[in-house]
């Protein structure tokens, strides 16, 4: 055997003249079929028990899946019992079709017919393997023998189905040339056409031809070429529903399904979060939500993705990855500062412009569309920028910090994240904000204050401030006048060794915590001696008091020794 990569046989692309699929776009949802309870279940270390399968089934129904492959009833007693319970226990809604899988073998087909007794809507899905490799190494058969397996099974299924159909069962057929992706396309057409004929398919009674990528072996565009070729060559294309069943061995299952739809497929078999053999089946959540983000209604409801993920993880005992599209724990977070800033600006833009579209960079989808929280989008760690902490302060706690304050507070947070070496949560950010600004109460503290306000005949207001201040252990009185409370206070403290501070900027707003509303004031002072600037923040239920506290907070911060 050749060493390493040289031992692999490269995929031989299907030659196709005048391909059209690259010019197509997806405009509507395909027919969805869940294969979670069969393909997904058979790939579990501990297959689901009856209760788990029932719960899973009901979740799929709630999501809106109308065709659900429930298992392989001829494969084991457990699978048979589950099928019977679903039918006899009245679990299947009127508009939902159950699908059962069976190999193209007589005794298994007969057992499967027993299993579906009493069901209203059924798809009987049979398969045999058609690929060159399987024919060579597994079956040791020429194509005629392989075709005979399929057509004999089709004859038996057709014959056995007639009494059930006469009794009123809505019984349809599905055939899978298993390992379609490794089959010569002309032979795939030949065997599928033969099956359509043996099942008496018509444009009114279409048969589902499911063309599986049993093992993904080529690029999605090459698969799309094969599919377009197949659809064009199939004589009874109008009697078939073309279905895809991508597995994910090369990690391209989603692209294969999407390009397969461009190339003419009508239906997709998939599983939640891509559970299934080896690397899994294609993920139905990603496919559906990809459509959603292109303005197409996928006709599946993933608006409570956390609940679906919780059910999935519990029943399958398989974890959903933190970066799984749409569902992973980390997919609505932004660690990088520039991403955080852009998200912040995007959400401000959306508010201010009133746009009806989702226009936020780095968030391809509104997290609320899948029932996810908007708040934890930004996580603060040492890679976060200056805007991230301010964003948390605004969105989590209602503090709308002045823009020019963002770098200063950002640096406070950065120092902490550098020190702890990991992400910090919003509660810790609030704590840092309080320690840094609100609790900057030494050396100066306002103990008592009194305002006297008057307006003269020209409408100018005059305010007199009198108050008691503490400087470490010394208590003293101050008084000053001005055209407003801030001006009066500032003038009062000027003489108390604070004359070197000048007033640069001011902002205030209300913050509401439940029914309790407080005013918050942000004040920027500059120390004339060295030009350094300090923000201060004051909180109070009294709108006149918050700015005075903010002034003292700025002065007190200026007195802190740099650490
Ligand atoms: O992957 C596959 O080919 C299958 C078939 C049985 C449809 O699961
Ligand atoms: Zn499969």
């Amino acid at each position: 055997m050749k060493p390493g990569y040289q031992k692999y046989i490269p995929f031989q692309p299907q030659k196709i003249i005048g391909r059209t699929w690259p010019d197509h776009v997806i405009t509507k949802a395909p027919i969805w079929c869940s294969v979670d309870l069969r393909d997904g279940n058979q790939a579990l270390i501990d297959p689901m028990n009856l209760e788990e399968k029932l719960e899973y089934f009901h979740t799929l129904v709630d999501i809106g899946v109308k065709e659900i492959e429930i298992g392989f009833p001829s494969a084991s007693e457990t699978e048979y019992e589950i099928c019977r319970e679903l039918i006899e226990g009245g679990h299947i809604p009127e508009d939902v079709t159950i699908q059962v899988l069976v190999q193209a073998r007589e005794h298994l087909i007969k057992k499967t017919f027993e299993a579906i007794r009493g069901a209203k809507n059924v798809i009987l899905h049979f398969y045999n393997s058609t690929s060159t490799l399987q024919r060579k190494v597994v079956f040791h058969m020429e194509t005629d023998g392989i075709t005979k397996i399929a057509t004999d099974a089709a004859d038996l299924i057709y014959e056995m189905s007639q009494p059930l159909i006469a009794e009123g069962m809505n019984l349809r057929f599905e055939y899978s040339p298993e390992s379609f992706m490794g089959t010569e396309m002309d032979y795939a057409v030949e065997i599928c056409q033969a099956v359509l004929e043996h099942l008496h398919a018509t444009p009114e009674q279409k048969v589902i031809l499911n063309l599986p990528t049993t093992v993904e072996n080529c690029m999605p565009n090459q698969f799309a070429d094969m599919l377009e070729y197949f659809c064009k060559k199939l004589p009874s294309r109008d009697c078939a529903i073309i279905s895809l069943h991508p597995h994910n061995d090369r990690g391209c299952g989603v692209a294969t399904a999407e390009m397969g739809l461009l190339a003419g497929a009508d239906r997709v078999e998939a599983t939640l979060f891509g559970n299934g053999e080896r690397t899994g089946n294609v993920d139905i959540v990603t496919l559906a939500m990809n459509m959603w983000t292109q303005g197409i209604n996928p006709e599946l409801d993933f608006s409570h993705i956390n609940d679906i993920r919780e059910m999935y993880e519990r029943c399958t005992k398989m974890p959903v990855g933190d970066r799984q599209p749409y569902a992973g724990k980390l997919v609505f977070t932004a660690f990088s500062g520039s991403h955080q800033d852009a998200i912040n600006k995007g959400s401000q833009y959306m508010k201010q412009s009133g746009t009806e579209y989702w226009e936020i960079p780095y968030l391809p989808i509104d997290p609320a569309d899948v029932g996810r929280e908007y708040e934890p989008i930004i996580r603060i760690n040492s890679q976060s920028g200056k805007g991230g902490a301010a964003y948390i302060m605004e969105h989590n706690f209602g503090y709308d910090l002045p823009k020019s304050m963002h770098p200063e507070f950002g640096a406070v947070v950065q120092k902490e994240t550098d020190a702890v070496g990991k992400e910090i949560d919003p509660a810790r950010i609030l704590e840092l904000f309080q320690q840094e600004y609100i609790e900057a109460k030494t050396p100066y503290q306002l103990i008592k204050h009194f305002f006297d306000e008057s307006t003269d005949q020209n409408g100018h207001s005059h305010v007199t401030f009198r108050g008691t201040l503490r400087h470490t252990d010394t208590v003293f009185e101050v008084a000053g006048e001005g055209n407003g409370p801030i001006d009066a206070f500032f003038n009062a403290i000027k003489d108390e060794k604070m004359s070197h501070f000048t007033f640069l900027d001011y902002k205030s707003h209300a913050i509401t915590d439940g029914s309790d509303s407080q005013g918050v004031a942000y004040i920027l002072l500059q120390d004339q001696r060295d030009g350094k600037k300090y923000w201060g923040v004051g909180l109070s239920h009294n709108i006149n008091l918050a700015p005075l506290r903010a002034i003292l907070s700025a002065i007190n911060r200026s007195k802190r020794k740099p650490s």
Side-chain angles (χ1 to χ4, degrees), residues 38-39 212 214 245 247 277 281:
R38 196 277 300 171
D39 221 346
T214 304
H245 179 106
H247 280 266
E277 291 281 13
N281 288 69

Side-chain angles (χ1 to χ4, degrees), residues 335-338 340-341 380-390 410 414:
F335 286 83
S336 127
S338 62
Q340 292 169 3
D341 279 347
I380 302 297
N381 63 14
S382 60
Q383 303 303 304
S384 312
K386 53 187 164 49
Q414 179 97 36

Side-chain angles (χ1 to χ4, degrees), residues 172-185:
R172 294 185 288 137
F173 312 122
E174 170 169 335
Y175 171 65
S176 289
E178 197 218 3
S179 57
F180 165 83
M181 78 301 146
T183 307
E184 306 85 329
M185 277 308 100

Side-chain angles (χ1 to χ4, degrees), residues 21-38:
W21 67 264
D23 293 328
H24 297 166
V25 283
I26 297 173
T27 53
K28 64 177 175 51
I31 302 165
W32 298 109
C33 173
S34 148
V35 290
D36 296 71
L37 301 177
R38 196 277 300 171

Side-chain angles (χ1 to χ4, degrees), residues 9 29 100 152 222 231 236-237 297 322 330 363-364 407 417-418 421 438 449 451 521 526 544 556 563:
I9 305 166
V100 285
D152 283 353
Q222 295 169 331
C231 291
S236 301
R237 170 68 184 92
N297 181 356
D322 284 351
L330 295 180
L363 286 179
T417 53
D418 284 343
I438 316 262
H449 76 282
F451 283 114
Q526 184 166 36
N544 285 334
N556 287 338
S563 53

